[in-house]
Structure formats: structure tokens, C-alpha cells
Amino acid sequence: MVQDPTAFDQREAVQLRDGAAVDVVTMRPADAARLVRFHHTLSPDTTYLRFFSFHPEHSADELYRFTHVDHLDREAMVVVKDAE
């Protein structure tokens, strides 16, 4: 049973040890473009460590899976700095 994903929209302000202020938010479908931009900032070594293979782009299925969580079997959180 998939629940209403907006019921799980959460944002929590957190201060890191270095003093930086960030927001921890639930991943949403609207975050897909931001996820793609983030992935493009990763080095090839970092990408390999995350996916255990060469992985320069997310497939459409991966983007959907990462950004459409059901909050029952899968959860995804994002740390955002300088969020609006």
C-alpha cells in the first residue's frame, strides 16, 4: 500500500560540527533534476564506489526509484545547504 507521499514531506534544520547550517529533507519527485546535477559533480572514483561500476548517468528508472519512495519499504533523505 503506497501512502500519500506528501504526508511525509519533512524538513529539519541541522547545524554541522563545522558550524554549517543544512536542511535534511525527504526526497521528492521534484528533486530529480537536482539529483542529476549532484551526480555530475561526483568524481569517477566516487561514482564507482557508490555503484560498483562505471556509472556516468542515472537511467530514467533509477531516477524514478530514487525520487519516488514509498516511506514503507524505501526511504531517501537529502542534505541541502543554502536551501530556499
Side-chain angles (χ1 to χ4, degrees), residues 13-22:
V14 176
Q15 185 171 10
L16 302 179
R17 280 187 254 168
D18 68 359
V22 297

Side-chain angles (χ1 to χ4, degrees), residues 18-66:
D18 68 359
V22 297
D23 289 326
V24 178
V25 298
T26 54
M27 178 75 84
R28 299 165 308 167
D31 293 322
R34 191 175 1 193
L35 180 59
V36 169
R37 286 193 308 272
F38 169 73
H39 188 78
H40 287 155
T41 68
L42 301 176
S43 72
D45 288 340
T46 298
T47 303
Y48 186 86
L49 291 172
R50 286 174 179 255
F51 294 95
F52 303 106
S53 67
F54 179 69
H55 200 87
E57 301 287 333
H58 288 305
S59 69
D61 287 343
E62 286 173 324
L63 281 176
Y64 186 88
R65 185 168 44 94
F66 293 153

